[in-house]
Amino acid sequence: MKKCYLFLLTPAMAFIACNRNIYVPNQINVPLLKEKGEVKASVSLSDWQAAYAVTDNFAVMANGQYISRLITLDGDGIDDDPLVDPNTRGGLFEVGAGYTKAIGDSKKAVFEIYGGYGFGGFRTLEEAYLYKADTIQGYDAYRLRTKFHKFFIQPSFGLSHKVVEVAFSTRFSLVNFNNVSSGSLAWESDPNMRMDFQRLDGKVVGFMEPAATVRVGFKHIKWFWQLRASVPLRSDGVEAGPTLNEYFQPFSFNTGISLNFGKWLKN
């Protein structure tokens, strides 16, 4: 019977797969800032984020991501049920700025919209390596790599309270892939697959990434959860190989600690 990997204590996954993920969407920064001088930051095992309100309605943010899926329960490494590639490594860094507005007399509801730029890269192993783990050529012969530049815009709406926060977001990203490469033995028996993968080089792929975020705890520190999907807005498949969409992780989950500092929390 085929066994599948089970991830333990890793925040950026929900399932295991033999997908070759060379793009994993990072956590969406949803600060829900209400006033000038307010600061919000969060950290999980794969992402860190921070945002600062320069005025009551203008804020800046910075986000980082690094994925290294080292904690696994080993099976035979071969499973066709899909969602997450345990061999993916890499991440990104991005900055952004945008508009934030607390709504109503109570200011518990917040609308915000941010835009920004990021860059990064990922690497993984072509599936054939799982069948040839004793090969003398090692990882590099089966390695898949990409780098990318990213532009994004993300509107969000949420309710922010001292104890509970809930927000819904949709991020639209344009990702320009570059420096795409594959090892000498990757898809050794199927050159069409190699050509299919190489078609990513120079491609700009759009993604729609809806997310739900929940934070629960105390005034200044909360535990958070975020579940998000990633839907490519174009498909560039060829008849001889998979669509390029199969190289993109479709679902992600993060959990960690959120910190919040603002004058309104003292009232």
Side-chain angles (χ1 to χ4, degrees), residues 9 20 66 76 142 146 162 212 245 258:
L9 303 179
R20 304 300 91 195
Y66 183 73
D76 59 13
Y142 295 91
T146 62
K162 294 179 181 180
N245 297 353
S258 174

Side-chain angles (χ1 to χ4, degrees), residues 17-48:
C18 285
N19 276 15
R20 304 300 91 195
N21 297 146
I22 45 72
Y23 176 68
V24 180
N26 62 317
Q27 179 182 316
I28 298 178
N29 193 346
V30 191
L32 301 180
L33 301 176
K34 298 183 178 184
E35 62 185 11
K36 179 180 178 179
E38 186 176 358
V39 177
K40 185 165 286 183
S42 68
V43 62
S44 69
L45 293 182
S46 64
D47 289 73
W48 62 264

Side-chain angles (χ1 to χ4, degrees), residues 8-207:
L8 303 174
L9 303 179
T10 183
M13 61 73 56
F15 305 94
I16 316 296
C18 285
N19 276 15
R20 304 300 91 195
N21 297 146
I22 45 72
Y23 176 68
V24 180
N26 62 317
Q27 179 182 316
I28 298 178
N29 193 346
V30 191
L32 301 180
L33 301 176
K34 298 183 178 184
E35 62 185 11
K36 179 180 178 179
E38 186 176 358
V39 177
K40 185 165 286 183
S42 68
V43 62
S44 69
L45 293 182
S46 64
D47 289 73
W48 62 264
Q49 300 183 327
Y52 172 72
V54 180
T55 71
D56 286 344
N57 299 119
F58 176 74
V60 294
M61 65 167 57
N63 310 313
Q65 174 198 43
Y66 183 73
I67 292 175
S68 180
R69 292 168 174 159
L70 299 178
I71 304 175
T72 63
L73 181 64
D74 290 331
D76 59 13
I78 305 168
D79 193 283
D80 295 326
D81 300 328
L83 288 184
V84 171
D85 172 16
N87 296 303
T88 298
R89 305 286 186 272
L92 61 80
F93 176 78
E94 61 188 19
V95 293
Y99 174 81
T100 181
K101 174 67 175 179
I103 302 171
D105 294 336
S106 66
K107 296 187 176 182
K108 291 181 180 178
V110 179
F111 170 78
E112 61 185 23
I113 182 167
Y114 291 90
Y117 162 78
F119 63 91
F122 289 95
R123 66 185 188 276
T124 187
L125 297 174
E126 196 265 314
E127 187 176 355
Y129 182 82
L130 301 176
Y131 300 86
K132 303 177 181 180
D134 58 345
T135 181
I136 60 173
Q137 284 86 358
Y139 290 102
D140 286 342
Y142 295 91
R143 188 82 70 191
L144 309 181
R145 297 177 184 269
T146 62
K147 294 183 179 180
F148 58 85
H149 298 277
K150 171 185 175 182
F151 298 90
F152 67 90
I153 185 169
Q154 58 180 61
S156 302
F157 178 80
L159 299 176
S160 179
H161 184 268
K162 294 179 181 180
V163 177
V164 178
E165 295 180 314
V166 179
F168 298 94
S169 313
T170 301
R171 181 173 61 194
F172 298 92
S173 301
L174 289 177
V175 181
N176 181 12
F177 292 95
N178 59 83
N179 290 329
V180 174
S181 64
S182 52
S184 60
L185 297 182
W187 300 296
E188 183 179 21
S189 61
D190 191 346
N192 288 327
M193 293 283 284
R194 179 188 296 274
M195 293 174 60
D196 189 28
F197 177 71
Q198 288 297 140
R199 291 174 59 228
L200 269 176
D201 204 9
K203 288 286 185 183
V204 176
V205 181
F207 294 88

